[in-house]
Amino acid sequence: MLAYAEIHARSRHDPEGFWGEAAKAIDWIRPWDKVLDPSAKPAARWFVGGELNTCWNAIDRHVAAGNGGRVAVIYDSPVTGTVAKFTYAEMQGKIAAFAGLLAAKGVAKGDRVIVYMPMVPEALVAMLACARLGAIHSVVFGGFAANELAVRIDDCKPKAIVSASCGIEGAKTVAYKPLLDGAIAIARHKPDFCVILQRPQLACDLVAGRDIDWTQGVATARPADCVPVKATDPLYVLYTSGTTGQPKGVVRDNGGHAVALAYSMRTIYDTKPGEVFWAASDVGWVVGHSYICYAPLLAGCTTVLYEGKPVGTPDAGGFWRVIAEHGVATFFTAPTAFRAIRKEDPDGKLIAKYDLSKFRALFLAGERCDPATLDWATEKLKRPVVDHWWQTETGWPIAANALGIPTGTGAIFPIKPGSPTKPVPGWDVQVLGADGHPVPAGDIGAIVCRLPLPPGTFPTLWNAEQRYVDAYLAEYPGYYKTGDAGYIDADGYVYVMTRVDDVINVAGHRLSTGQMEEILASHRDVAECAVVGVADELKGQVPLGFVVLKSGVNRPDAEIVAEIVALVREKIGPVAFFKQAVIVKRLPKTRSGKILRGTMQKIADGQAYKPPATIDDPAILDEIRESLVPAGYAKAPA
Ligand code: COA
Ligand code: AMP
């Protein structure tokens, strides 16, 4: 049997042979003409000429193979006291009916449909119904405010929006409908219609002539069949933070996506058909797209949709309860969730209450996994804890300790805390220095991936091909720029240390400080501002604003800060977690006018810093520290 080194080498030297074989795991309506077209612009395309349907592959084919009675989705909602199970055959019926409703209202191949929903089974039904019709879904995370939803409506111009009356966030009920109505009012583009799921916890009014009640709509819908689409046709657009207020619409195609995700289930997650796979994330994030919805279903597994939190629903044993109750084999979440659990149950006492005998491995991603969290999880769970690294853009992991690939030495590669281990087959990861050349092992630089990217990654940005080239391909010709910096050690282990741009990672959620700065700057009293991500024990990072007021503004600082905090919440949403800003006299800058955000972050975190040689006036740094102390920042490390 081949081991990792040979498998990885083959994936790069013979990508067509490698991925052509992997593609046998998928049902094709028409075989591809070419596995890989490296000359396609702006990026190489996979399975060109092939036709398939992603919903067929995720749902219908399992029913056709006689597995219709297998549980496809377990909905576990501690916030509503519900556990419901849906077989593959039941999901097929629900998806076909909902697709029929969309189709009857005119949604067809290539049309966009926004899905703005909480963690309910209907969110998966809506996504898969779009896939069934060849319509392109764009799921918007529920923690975004009306304004963010409006930006996405205007960018992808949906024919329909699917939403719900409310979401339930721990003890809070969040009304979704006013956010949806607000977004449609702000947006220039108006959808033809909306489908609204009325939840018993909080019903909403429907807009006559525009809104359709989900239950009534599907009751009379004629089930729709799977529509053949090209492998290269978009399956979805998922917006992610960029460096400006305009989010990037990451496009995922059908063919490469299905092949890569099915491959990842076997090789990275080592999870077999019929086993239970649980990603405790949200359908609004890429983890939710890939590993709550598509991958487990493509692989014929049971997926868990959890409407709850790691703590507080009802306690820090919620995850262990779900794993035990549903026999979860493979579990995936973000390190921040473990930090939350550890804070409440430091000795892991609640773990012992549950039978975790079917649970084989924990996967962590979404942010850098701090060694303390990894050590705690390993010690308490006594199972492999796999830190793996990926991005919205890539759709599946770039680096991991792939549990289904023989290492050639031991069962898995030795775990090195702080490293997501080695590049996954398909990925050629390099670290480049400022001159654009690879740096020696152990040296920090920009982490890039040699082109072509493997299947399942993003071939372009929605409506923004030039931005795709500029943001990802232009700086290092021949490579994809990940936006992360780090190093590769002498054993080939990748270490992802920090972002090179203004993206920060708050509780595993990706946010742009540049976007927050745009909002702060729009406040009438603000002359200048900066936002940095400061260290937070639970969330990894949280945003902190620095604000210089216009001259003549003479109102209490606290009043202005409260307004700024409210403004960010109104414009981006609660997910931004922008809770604090300090008013400063001036911002530290280089002589050429560049704001020294990195130095400000170090000061706030109480880290040692050296004033850059190019600084305009070093005295400003002391002023900044003095402004931060009353707000509880800039403390020397304990
Ligand atoms: N709809 C509406 N509001 C939402 C929301 C949603 N889907 N998700 C989060 N929010 C709100 C929260 O209620 C909170 O609002 P508040 O400021 O009024 O309290 C705010 O957004 C921040 O949410 P969050 O960052 O999730 O903080 P939290 O304190 O509620 O929970 C954790 C902290 C660590 C428990 C939580 O972030 C978590 O479970 N993270 C897992 C990470 C994850 O799923 N990552 C995805 C990639 S794997
Ligand atoms: P997102 O697109 O929201 O999935 O965020 C992707 C970013 O999260 C990456 O570019 C990294 O900065 C960070 N990230 C995700 N997983 C890891 C990991 N395992 N280790 C370090 N950083 C990670």
Side-chain angles (χ1 to χ4, degrees):
M1 207 196 313
L2 291 184
Y4 167 81
E6 294 97 340
I7 296 171
H8 186 267
R10 180 173 175 231
S11 75
R12 294 304 302 177
H13 295 139
D14 176 21
E16 301 212 39
F18 185 90
W19 290 110
E21 271 168 35
K24 290 184 188 147
I26 295 302
D27 282 3
W28 296 86
I29 297 166
R30 180 187 188 279
W32 53 88
D33 300 321
K34 262 179 154 179
V35 173
L36 173 66
D37 175 5
S39 64
K41 294 282 173 245
R45 300 307 306 256
W46 291 93
F47 306 107
V48 179
E51 283 183 11
L52 76 163
N53 181 281
T54 296
C55 180
W56 167 271
N57 276 283
I59 301 289
D60 300 64
R61 67 164 167 159
H62 303 305
V63 180
N67 293 318
R70 182 185 291 168
V71 175
V73 178
I74 299 174
Y75 168 54
D76 188 306
S77 168
V79 293
T80 60
T82 315
V83 174
K85 297 184 181 182
F86 305 96
T87 64
Y88 274 93
E90 285 167 339
M91 284 301 285
Q92 185 185 37
K94 285 176 182 296
I95 294 161
F98 192 67
L101 166 63
L102 294 179
K105 292 288 294 178
V107 173
K109 182 153 62 174
D111 289 336
R112 274 80 58 212
V113 175
I114 280 189
V115 178
Y116 183 60
M117 294 198 91
M119 287 287 285
V120 290
E122 287 79 1
L124 298 188
V125 170
M127 292 164 78
L128 288 157
C130 291
R132 194 171 190 84
L133 298 174
I136 303 165
H137 63 68
S138 186
V139 183
V140 179
F141 177 61
F144 284 121
N147 189 61
E148 283 293 298
L149 180 55
V151 168
R152 287 153 174 79
I153 294 173
D154 278 333
D155 197 64
C156 77
K157 302 190 171 41
K159 192 164 246 178
I161 302 184
V162 185
S163 190
S165 55
C166 69
I168 299 153
E169 270 294 291
K172 277 182 299 191
T173 300
V174 181
Y176 271 43
K177 190 61 181 359
L179 299 171
L180 173 67
D181 290 343
I184 295 175
I186 302 168
R188 285 183 305 280
H189 172 85
K190 309 291 174 195
D192 290 358
F193 68 101
C194 299
V195 185
I196 310 293
L197 176 75
Q198 293 280 19
R199 301 190 74 189
Q201 292 76 15
L202 180 72
C204 62
D205 293 333
L206 300 185
V207 175
R210 186 196 77 185
D211 296 346
I212 300 168
D213 175 89
W214 177 299
T215 313
Q216 287 170 11
V218 293
T220 52
R222 272 199 27 226
D225 264 341
C226 294
V227 173
V229 299
K230 292 201 186 87
T232 47
D233 280 343
L235 169 68
Y236 69 76
V237 178
L238 176 58
Y239 288 90
T240 190
S241 297
T243 45
T244 65
Q246 184 64 29
K248 294 168 173 166
V250 166
V251 172
R252 196 83 58 210
D253 67 13
N254 276 274
H257 175 253
V259 171
L261 291 191
Y263 175 79
S264 74
M265 289 298 286
R266 292 195 306 279
T267 55
I268 300 175
Y269 301 101
D270 192 23
T271 309
K272 314 234 162 6
E275 291 189 320
V276 184
F277 185 96
W278 177 25
S281 178
D282 188 287
V283 286
W285 306 118
V286 68
V287 175
H289 281 61
S290 295
Y291 293 105
I292 297 175
C293 184
Y294 288 108
L297 298 176
L298 286 164
C301 296
T302 298
T303 186
V304 180
L305 185 81
Y306 177 68
E307 189 179 29
K309 297 262 174 183
V311 293
T313 58
D315 59 23
F319 279 2
W320 323 129
R321 198 262 307 153
V322 173
I323 291 174
E325 199 169 316
H326 306 306
V328 172
T330 311
F331 177 43
F332 177 167
T333 191
T336 187
F338 265 75
R339 290 195 295 270
I341 293 170
R342 180 178 161 207
K343 192 162 164 237
E344 302 233 331
D345 182 20
D347 299 325
K349 288 200 178 98
L350 292 168
I351 300 173
K353 274 179 60 184
Y354 298 96
D355 170 9
L356 305 186
S357 52
K358 289 203 174 141
F359 175 34
R360 287 201 303 269
L362 167 68
F363 285 81
L364 296 174
E367 58 176 324
R368 180 173 155 74
C369 181
D370 52 295
T373 301
L374 185 100
D375 290 346
W376 186 85
T378 309
E379 187 204 314
K380 300 295 174 219
L381 294 174
K382 300 184 177 51
R383 285 161 177 78
V385 178
V386 180
D387 172 16
H388 63 328
W389 166 57
W390 53 298
Q391 311 178 307
T392 306
E393 287 86 344
T394 69
W396 64 290
I398 309 168
N401 209 332
L403 297 190
I405 299 181
T407 64
T409 47
I412 61 171
F413 284 115
I415 289 171
K416 296 194 192 186
S419 168
T421 319
K422 303 199 180 206
V424 168
W427 294 94
D428 181 350
V429 182
Q430 305 278 333
V431 177
L432 304 184
D435 60 357
H437 293 294
V439 296
D443 282 9
I444 290 193
I447 311 183
V448 297
C449 302
R450 201 189 295 274
L451 300 174
L453 295 183
T457 52
F458 69 143
T460 190
L461 292 175
W462 185 257
N463 275 341
E465 193 169 307
Q466 192 55 45
R467 191 176 181 195
Y468 176 84
V469 173
D470 294 345
Y472 299 108
L473 305 182
E475 192 168 343
Y476 303 106
Y479 296 98
Y480 160 68
K481 175 184 158 190
T482 64
D484 284 317
Y487 63 96
I488 300 179
D489 75 7
D491 298 327
Y493 279 59
V494 180
Y495 289 76
V496 182
M497 307 303 289
T498 183
R499 292 284 306 190
V500 295
D501 53 16
D502 67 352
V503 166
I504 58 169
N505 207 309
V506 180
H509 309 321
R510 173 167 158 181
L511 298 162
S512 157
T513 54
Q515 180 187 13
M516 294 183 208
E517 288 178 3
E518 284 175 19
I519 294 169
L520 264 52
S522 73
H523 186 279
R524 65 193 158 108
D525 293 342
V526 172
E528 248 191 324
C529 64
V531 176
V532 302
V534 294
D536 182 82
E537 218 178 289
L538 176 65
K539 291 176 185 249
Q541 286 184 301
V542 291
L544 170 67
F546 293 85
V547 171
V548 180
L549 298 179
K550 287 181 183 158
S551 59
V553 173
N554 196 11
R555 294 197 293 137
D557 285 2
E559 198 175 302
I560 298 170
V561 168
E563 285 171 15
I564 289 168
V565 167
L567 193 62
V568 176
R569 194 176 171 96
E570 180 202 321
K571 295 285 181 197
I572 302 182
V575 67
F577 212 77
F578 184 90
K579 306 264 178 185
Q580 210 155 18
V582 287
I583 309 282
V584 295
K585 289 195 212 97
R586 324 175 267 176
L587 293 174
K589 292 183 188 166
T590 61
R591 280 190 283 277
S592 60
K594 200 169 161 280
I595 298 174
L596 293 165
R597 293 180 180 79
T599 310
M600 289 156 77
Q601 179 193 332
K602 285 204 170 89
I603 297 174
D605 284 344
Q607 287 177 22
Y609 65 92
K610 233 175 55 201
T614 53
I615 192 166
D616 188 28
D617 177 1
I620 304 183
L621 299 181
D622 293 327
E623 281 173 30
I624 292 283
R625 200 181 34 249
E626 280 157 27
S627 316
L628 282 167
V629 171
Y633 295 96
K635 289 194 200 114

